[in-house]
Amino acid sequence: MLAGAAALPLFVLGRSTAAPAAGDDSLCGEPAATSRLHVPGTSGYLGRLAPRGAPLTLIAAAGDGTTPGRLVYRVRHAGRDYVNPTLVLRPGERVRVTLDNRLDAPTIAHWHGLAVDTANDGAGLTLVAPRERFAYDFEVRNRGALYWYHPHPHGATAQQTYDGLFGLIDVDDDDHAALRRALDLVPGHTELTLVLQDRRRGGYGASEQHARHGFMGDDAYVNGAPCPFVDAASRAYRLRLLNACNARTLRLAFRTAAGTRVPFTVVGNDGGLLPAPVAAREAFLAAAERLDLVLDLTAATPGETIVMESLAFDPMHGERSSGEASAEPDVAPRAAAHEGHARDGAGAAASVAGTASRIDAAAWPDGGPRALMTLRVRDRVRYDHRMPATLSRIAPLDTTGARERPVRLGFNKDRWRINDRVFAMGETPIEVARDSTEIWLLRNYHTSMPHAMHLHGFAFEVLERETSPDAVAALAVDARARLASDLGRKDTVLVWPGESVRVAIRFDVPWPGPQTYMFHCHNLEHEDGGMMLGVRVA
Ligand code: C2O
Ligand code: CU
Ligand code: CU
């Protein structure tokens, strides 16, 4: 039984805490859970499309109102129509995509997490004007994992992404096939890809674009609908999540409707399957991060409802404690967040900086609790599969003689900055020797907020965390204070105020000539505001 595997002493973390009970009708708050989860099929919205080397045309255009957001990527392939398709690829496969821009603004698509050359990275150095096309041609060099694609025109990335231009990339490999066999998982049935996005009634406007803490939506959408439900049976489910929010961090957890916490097993992250499964009760998931988990419902009884939720947490908006005044008008009501802290018992009402947290004036404040989706257990089934002890093999990087590069994250003169700089097109303040390994020490000031740092083209190996906030330190799984989702490889790492995260990066570039990549905060309003630096690898 899966429950047996998860109960191995190594995996037992923490004690059992019960969340407050809630009536079924309030599980999702408003709007209520009236829509069934959209499960991507073989066409349509988020439909799974395996091009197997065939060329595709991705049309960026206005949507037809059936999907959230004004814009969509449309593809017609092998007689089927797709909207924001999930591209299913294999390592080594050649990918040929033509982006056809039918928007009234310049755009470009970026393959988040894929190791490609600058010409194919779509980082915004080249833009596609309205009515023009751009051709990508690259090879998949990544491990199996869930990656994604989204626009990257500097200054308009947040708006276009919020408007709906994003999709998943599912690089499938033998490790994933082995996990499916071991747990009897069937994609689209017992293995679900879930795209999480917060959306605001009334949409995205200029004030959102300049919100210091980034955009905060009112409602939690999963695969295009607010707080949907899905029918389930008493067995294991694999959930593969993408946080596609512009700025919001989620503190992901599961509970029964009666309020009992339901633990889960982390099996993968941005960079694919972890070396081994790790038991967890909750996990932070920052903007652009992915989490691959297995939820064991073997003990659930028909009629029971399991809630996937984001727990309350202190969003640690501490940049004001520098004493600097701000003209920003979004000083907001704090009642909801307070209530959340009290309910969850997370405490930590004050940030490390010693200042009260500020939250944006949204119906769902940053760090506020929220139900995201429900699983309604319908059927009792026999299920006796076991979680494998090994999921994948990833050799640690050899860091002997690696250059250590300090990277400081902070706020000054009204801008979020990396090493005191803001982005300038054409400049590459970070210069790296090709085929070298570096260690980056990402340090976030106390007087800051959490930043989800992402590097194009190369994966991070998280080496250690230091001076993490208590709520984060409590989730550490090893002596280096790493989190379950830090293990293996990843491409986006959340760095909390006052925290240092040491990552190793191998800058392998099989392409001739110097290559340029972007390193930025994936809070898209921070990125558009200049919290991004060019990286030259030569
Ligand atoms: Cu999701 Cu510059 O990336
Ligand atoms: Cu990227
Ligand atoms: Cu940021």
Side-chain angles (χ1 to χ4, degrees):
M1 290 242 316
L2 194 68
L8 287 171
L10 175 65
F11 294 149
V12 176
L13 294 177
R15 69 289 131 188
S16 181
T17 48
D24 244 281
D25 50 346
S26 66
L27 287 177
C28 270
E30 285 299 322
T34 49
S35 48
R36 194 173 285 277
L37 175 76
H38 172 69
V39 176
T42 53
S43 67
Y45 185 55
L46 306 176
R48 293 174 67 83
L49 192 172
R52 301 185 199 290
L56 299 178
T57 299
L58 200 60
I59 302 171
D64 63 1
T66 62
T67 58
R70 307 159 38 229
L71 308 176
V72 291
Y73 287 122
R74 280 204 314 262
V75 176
R76 186 162 175 82
H77 178 71
R80 292 184 169 157
D81 290 310
Y82 298 82
V83 174
N84 298 9
T86 298
L87 301 179
V88 181
L89 307 172
R90 293 284 305 183
E93 178 173 333
R94 181 179 176 191
V95 179
R96 285 176 289 170
V97 173
T98 299
L99 175 65
D100 180 347
N101 182 7
R102 298 195 197 162
L103 310 177
D104 53 14
T107 192
I108 190 74
H110 165 62
W111 318 103
H112 180 122
L114 295 191
V116 297
D117 59 339
T118 302
N120 282 291
D121 192 43
L125 299 165
T126 305
L127 296 181
V128 191
R131 291 170 303 282
E132 306 233 307
R133 297 168 151 248
F134 182 84
Y136 300 85
D137 190 343
F138 59 87
E139 193 179 292
V140 177
R141 301 180 63 248
N142 291 68
R143 308 175 72 215
L146 196 63
Y147 305 95
W148 63 305
Y149 56 97
H150 62 78
H152 220 289
H154 184 58
T157 296
Q159 169 91 62
Q160 290 187 4
T161 304
Y162 178 79
D163 280 342
L165 289 177
F166 55 80
L168 296 168
I169 301 171
D170 184 356
V171 174
D172 206 9
D173 66 10
D174 297 344
D175 290 336
H176 290 262
L179 179 64
R180 285 187 188 119
R181 271 197 309 276
L183 294 181
D184 181 36
L185 298 168
V186 179
H189 294 277
T190 49
E191 173 181 320
L192 303 169
T193 49
L194 303 175
V195 181
L196 279 51
Q197 191 195 31
D198 59 338
R199 301 195 57 80
R200 188 175 288 186
R201 305 159 208 163
Y204 189 96
S207 63
E208 279 76 32
Q209 195 172 352
H210 299 293
R212 178 174 295 177
H213 300 122
F215 169 84
M216 291 293 140
D218 302 320
D219 301 312
Y221 279 60
V222 181
N223 290 357
C227 200
F229 69 89
V230 62
D231 288 338
S234 60
R235 50 157 297 144
Y237 283 82
R238 180 185 184 193
L239 305 180
R240 308 178 72 192
L241 290 86
L242 160 69
N243 181 344
C245 297
N246 277 28
R248 184 185 292 280
T249 296
L250 301 167
R251 183 182 167 202
L252 193 83
F254 297 85
R255 65 173 159 90
T256 64
T260 305
R261 186 67 59 225
V262 179
F264 56 93
T265 305
V266 178
V267 295
N269 59 3
D270 321 337
L273 292 175
L274 306 187
V278 182
R281 305 179 59 80
E282 58 172 270
F284 285 103
L285 187 64
E289 278 191 301
R290 284 84 73 203
L291 191 70
D292 196 341
L293 64 89
V294 172
L295 189 64
D296 178 4
L297 300 185
T298 50
T301 46
E304 222 178 330
T305 298
I306 308 296
V307 184
M308 180 171 89
E309 62 184 345
S310 186
L311 302 174
F313 63 94
D314 180 354
M316 298 187 76
H317 296 167
E319 80 283 2
R320 277 273 186 90
S321 65
S322 57
E324 172 222 9
S326 168
E328 194 189 0
D330 68 1
V331 180
R334 304 183 54 215
H338 272 300
E339 185 194 7
H341 285 304
R343 270 187 46 188
D344 190 59
S351 72
V352 165
T355 57
S357 295
R358 285 192 329 131
I359 45 176
D360 291 319
W364 180 16
D366 197 4
R370 185 58 63 105
L372 304 171
M373 186 180 92
T374 58
L375 298 104
R376 300 179 177 180
V377 181
R378 291 286 185 230
D379 303 309
R380 175 101 220 140
V381 295
R382 211 182 117 75
Y383 184 81
D384 54 7
H385 296 264
R386 294 179 70 96
M387 177 67 76
T390 302
L391 300 172
S392 73
R393 291 183 199 283
I394 318 167
L397 291 176
D398 180 0
T399 55
T400 31
R403 169 181 177 160
E404 183 160 312
R405 188 183 291 274
V407 177
R408 283 226 162 246
L409 313 173
F411 187 81
N412 204 356
K413 299 225 160 155
D414 232 36
R415 310 279 294 270
W416 291 107
R417 292 162 187 268
I418 302 171
N419 286 344
D420 299 321
R421 305 179 68 120
V422 292
F423 181 70
M425 192 62 81
E427 289 183 10
T428 51
I430 298 178
E431 307 222 332
V432 174
R434 61 164 56 229
D435 301 329
S436 68
T437 300
E438 293 203 350
I439 292 174
W440 289 15
L441 178 57
L442 312 176
R443 282 190 287 180
N444 198 355
Y445 286 97
H446 290 277
T447 53
S448 186
M449 66 173 280
H451 298 289
M453 302 309 296
H454 166 59
L455 174 66
H456 289 205
F458 308 93
F460 299 136
E461 179 188 341
V462 177
L463 300 177
E464 65 179 324
R465 287 182 184 264
E466 282 177 341
T467 57
S468 304
D470 291 350
V472 178
L475 304 181
V477 296
D478 64 16
R480 295 189 269 161
R482 295 185 298 179
L483 309 176
S485 55
D486 286 336
L487 307 177
R489 291 288 186 276
K490 63 200 278 75
D491 56 51
T492 307
V493 65
L494 186 61
V495 189
W496 292 79
E499 190 182 37
S500 299
V501 183
R502 201 180 297 269
V503 300
I505 309 160
R506 175 77 193 161
F507 287 94
D508 270 326
V509 280
W511 310 282
Q515 304 292 326
T516 296
Y517 296 94
M518 297 300 167
F519 172 61
H520 61 87
C521 179
H522 222 286
N523 178 318
L524 296 180
E525 285 71 30
H526 292 184
E527 174 185 348
D528 276 345
M531 195 176 187
M532 174 159 79
L533 295 181
V535 177
R536 185 171 191 265
V537 184

